[in-house]
Amino acid sequence: MQVCKKCVLDERFPGIRFNEEGICNFCSSARSADNQQSVKQKYEAKFRQLVQEHKGRGSYDCLVAYSGGKDSTYTLHLLRERYDDLRLLAYSYDNWFQSERARRNIRAVLSRMNVDHVTVTPSFESIKRIIVTSISPDLHPAKALVRASSICTSCISLVRFAGFRMAIDQEIPFLIFGMSPGQAPLATAVVKTNPAMIGTMQDALLRPLSERLGDMVKPYFLEPRHFDKADAFPYSINPLAFADYDEAVIFETMHKYGWQKPDDTDANSTNCLLNAFANQVHVDKFGINPYASEIAELVRMGCLTREEGLSRLAEPFPAAQIADVKAKLGVE
């Protein structure tokens, strides 16, 4: 099987092509390191300017999606340390598959940071039905499944829309996501959202879920009243897209807050017990690891070596963890 000589993508990845040197088209078209750094600096400068314009207008300056994983924890750290005493509200979305270590990490970190926190917990029956429905390979557009499994795409969408509901209701100007630069390209670093944009995003998920599950999914999305508040739609910010990203530095920094690397999750997650099952379903249906795109981008950026990326993709999914999830969901 042919594998790109620069990153980790192989010939099964959708849309891939190789040149005579064995380098894939995604690597060939990637930004140079200098160009990428220049663009990062522009995005960070734009965020700093926006902070000065909007800071202090409401009860909170930023609403931060906080899973307890390494990336969202490091995002909280960056916001607290770099941006002039922002008033932060963190929210965690409990999908009933949160790692026990992640729960303890959330408590440990928040006890050392001046950050308010809320947890959103849908009913287990609702989450179960959404997850089982998301096993279907035709729920989401094929383009979305290049970057994440169908189950994770559904779950992350619920996290996003919970954030948009809170940000709009409380008129919080910035909605912050702690996604790695492999998950969130530079183009998503600083985006001013609006009703038309978010309405299109919502319809892409709400419509197919409603067709399968009916009105039980409506509480997890924006209501018509939200779309009447155009001025309250927040900026969507992915700080890790423009920050320096070094996993060794991230782990060292997190330890200072009492954060410990979980031993109860798979190799590609530091917070979610559902992840291994979602990955296995994706591999069974499409033949590729849903983390391949993210890891390939991290390799191109120099955040991981190619050998580290290949090793991470080769890590077997924990069978016992998958069996536990299947039993909890009641699926074969």
Side-chain angles (χ1 to χ4, degrees), residues 12 149 277-290 317:
R12 298 171 298 180
S149 70
F277 173 69
N279 291 346
Q280 186 66 66
V281 169
H282 193 87
V283 170
D284 290 345
K285 292 185 181 297
F286 301 106
I288 58 173
N289 190 313
F317 304 136

Side-chain angles (χ1 to χ4, degrees), residues 165-203:
R165 284 181 68 104
M166 283 190 281
I168 294 168
D169 284 339
Q170 299 190 43
E171 298 185 355
I172 302 174
F174 300 108
L175 178 55
I176 311 289
F177 298 103
M179 305 182 77
S180 82
Q183 295 171 319
L186 270 171
T188 68
V190 180
V191 177
K192 180 66 174 79
T193 66
N194 58 65
M197 175 197 302
I198 302 307
T200 300
M201 288 173 54
Q202 174 164 295
D203 183 64

Side-chain angles (χ1 to χ4, degrees), residues 217-276:
V217 300
K218 284 188 176 181
Y220 310 119
F221 294 89
L222 298 185
E223 303 168 22
R225 64 183 178 85
H226 293 110
F227 292 102
D228 291 336
K229 300 179 180 180
D231 292 342
F233 273 67
Y235 284 88
S236 174
I237 310 293
N238 283 303
L240 297 185
F242 53 75
D244 291 334
Y245 189 85
D246 184 319
E247 287 195 345
V249 172
I250 290 174
F251 283 124
E252 181 181 356
T253 303
M254 295 308 91
H255 286 317
K256 297 176 182 178
Y257 292 99
W259 189 96
Q260 296 183 34
K261 187 175 181 180
D263 55 7
D264 56 353
T265 59
D266 68 283
N268 292 302
S269 177
T270 52
N271 66 284
C272 185
L273 299 175
L274 183 62
N275 198 60

Side-chain angles (χ1 to χ4, degrees), residues 60-93:
Y60 296 102
D61 301 311
C62 299
L63 178 65
V64 188
Y66 185 41
S67 69
K70 67 176 176 63
D71 290 334
S72 63
T73 301
Y74 191 62
T75 299
L76 270 181
H77 161 78
L78 292 178
L79 293 169
R80 173 56 63 223
E81 295 297 317
R82 293 188 181 181
Y83 298 101
D84 300 330
D85 297 323
L86 289 171
R87 290 172 294 181
L88 306 177
L89 173 62
Y91 75 100
S92 299
Y93 197 89

Side-chain angles (χ1 to χ4, degrees), residues 129-137 139-140 150-151 154 209 281:
R129 293 179 67 187
I130 290 170
I131 291 171
V132 172
T133 299
S134 298
I135 293 174
S136 171
L139 181 67
H140 301 292
S150 180
I151 292 172
S154 291
L209 281 177
V281 169

Side-chain angles (χ1 to χ4, degrees), residues 19-141:
N19 63 19
E20 294 179 354
E21 287 76 35
I23 297 172
C24 75
N25 50 310
F26 301 104
C27 286
S28 299
S29 61
R31 296 177 184 270
S32 68
D34 289 343
N35 179 264
Q36 186 165 273
Q37 189 60 32
S38 173
V39 176
K40 282 184 175 184
Q41 291 171 354
K42 290 178 181 178
Y43 275 116
E44 179 163 23
K46 182 177 182 180
F47 178 50
R48 287 186 181 277
Q49 178 183 347
L50 290 170
V51 165
Q52 294 305 313
E53 293 174 2
H54 294 276
K55 185 175 180 293
R57 293 187 178 183
S59 299
Y60 296 102
D61 301 311
C62 299
L63 178 65
V64 188
Y66 185 41
S67 69
K70 67 176 176 63
D71 290 334
S72 63
T73 301
Y74 191 62
T75 299
L76 270 181
H77 161 78
L78 292 178
L79 293 169
R80 173 56 63 223
E81 295 297 317
R82 293 188 181 181
Y83 298 101
D84 300 330
D85 297 323
L86 289 171
R87 290 172 294 181
L88 306 177
L89 173 62
Y91 75 100
S92 299
Y93 197 89
D94 186 351
N95 68 355
W96 294 85
F97 292 93
Q98 193 176 55
S99 153
E100 183 56 37
R101 169 53 65 186
R103 291 180 188 275
R104 295 200 293 269
N105 281 338
I106 288 173
R107 298 288 293 178
V109 170
L110 292 176
S111 71
R112 294 166 171 82
M113 284 191 186
N114 183 24
V115 177
D116 290 347
H117 179 249
V118 296
T119 300
V120 180
T121 309
S123 74
F124 174 70
E125 184 61 27
S126 295
I127 284 294
K128 175 183 173 181
R129 293 179 67 187
I130 290 170
I131 291 171
V132 172
T133 299
S134 298
I135 293 174
S136 171
D138 62 351
L139 181 67
H140 301 292

